[in-house]
Amino acid sequence: MTVTGQDTDAIRALQGLEDGRSSVRLRAALAVGTTPDPRFVGKLIERCAIEPEFFVRDMLTWALTRHPVSMTLPELLREVRSERTQARSQALHTLSKIGDRQAWPALTRTLLSDADDEVARSAWRAAVVLVPEGEESALASVLATQLGRGGRETQRSLSRALVALGDVMVPALLAATTAADPRMRTHALATQRLLRDPDAGFECAIEEAKRVVALGGSGQEGR
């Protein structure tokens, strides 16, 4: 069997993805994306699940977007069901970058409420990108159930996702402002503020919402 120069380059790139040096892995991912090859898809997805460096993972995602959707989509949809949290999170992130709505059915309520915050955040971002026309309100209702969860970064991600849906999320958000859980009420009020004033900033919005909840209000008084 004749080994061509292109085959040699492919072998070198695939080996580079497993190198102990992150700079080498980054260059290998760049090379794979620059010269897409069907043989790379499985290894790219496999590496996404275990790659420790964020910037290398981002390059792996870019490399996957350079390959045909018909090849990457089935593999990524399998990954979102993986037991490994990073595999689920990175697959969801990659699906959001590819933007093919065939992936929408994979964005289940289970994923949107995943116990791992990073997976949930990736699912929220992907859902907002992939949601079909007419499904936005139902998505907003599911996302609203997650209000109040996690730390500031998780809450900021959810607020961004809800605001990106626009006015269709108003009813779900309004209902959450009267929830029994004060964290949910606070987060709902902060998101409501961001919808009205996108330039307000999350920190400012959340602090204002905390004051309203502390005073026993719902933020709807006088409206």
Side-chain angles (χ1 to χ4, degrees):
M1 177 176 141
T2 303
V3 178
T4 66
Q6 189 175 19
D7 288 331
T8 302
D9 289 343
I11 292 168
R12 187 179 299 117
L14 289 173
Q15 290 173 338
L17 291 174
E18 297 180 345
D19 194 277
R21 295 160 293 178
S22 60
S23 59
V24 174
R25 298 197 302 276
L26 183 68
R27 288 196 298 273
L30 175 61
V32 170
T34 301
T35 311
D37 186 309
R39 293 172 293 180
F40 296 144
V41 173
K43 178 59 71 174
L44 288 170
I45 291 176
E46 178 185 312
R47 188 67 210 175
C48 279
I50 59 174
E51 172 56 51
E53 297 292 341
F54 169 79
F55 58 90
V56 179
R57 291 199 302 272
D58 225 33
M59 189 66 78
L60 291 167
T61 283
W62 172 78
L64 283 165
T65 66
R66 299 269 297 158
H67 289 77
V69 173
S70 60
M71 300 188 62
T72 57
L73 192 61
E75 298 282 346
L76 291 167
L77 292 179
R78 275 193 287 273
E79 285 293 280
V80 301
R81 298 190 296 272
S82 170
E83 292 184 2
R84 192 190 295 263
T85 56
Q86 184 172 304
R88 297 199 302 279
S89 177
Q90 198 63 26
L92 287 162
H93 174 66
T94 305
L95 287 171
S96 74
K97 295 299 182 183
I98 291 172
D100 192 304
R101 285 181 170 171
Q102 292 181 82
W104 169 249
L107 273 293
T108 61
R109 181 182 285 265
T110 299
L111 272 178
L112 293 169
S113 58
D114 196 283
D116 184 271
D117 284 346
E118 285 304 312
V119 175
R121 291 172 66 190
S122 295
W124 301 336
R125 289 191 291 266
V128 168
V129 171
L130 301 173
V131 61
E133 187 175 351
E135 296 288 334
E136 296 92 347
S137 182
L139 174 59
S141 295
V142 176
L143 293 183
T145 67
Q146 301 302 296
L147 286 163
R149 74 172 277 179
R152 288 291 172 90
E153 285 307 309
T154 298
Q155 292 189 6
R156 183 182 284 108
S157 292
L158 181 57
S159 289
R160 284 174 178 165
L162 283 163
V163 169
L165 290 174
D167 290 341
V168 298
M169 62 87 159
V170 169
L173 204 58
L174 189 60
T177 63
T178 59
D181 182 354
R183 282 176 58 84
M184 179 176 276
R185 292 203 308 276
T186 299
H187 194 186
L189 287 170
T191 306
Q192 203 171 54
R193 167 73 188 277
L194 290 172
L195 180 63
R196 295 195 308 268
D197 181 10
D199 296 326
F202 185 75
E203 289 299 323
C204 176
I206 204 80
E207 290 304 322
E208 178 185 306
K210 280 183 176 180
R211 288 192 293 272
V212 172
V213 171
L215 292 170
S218 66
Q220 312 306 315
E221 295 82 356
R223 295 187 187 180

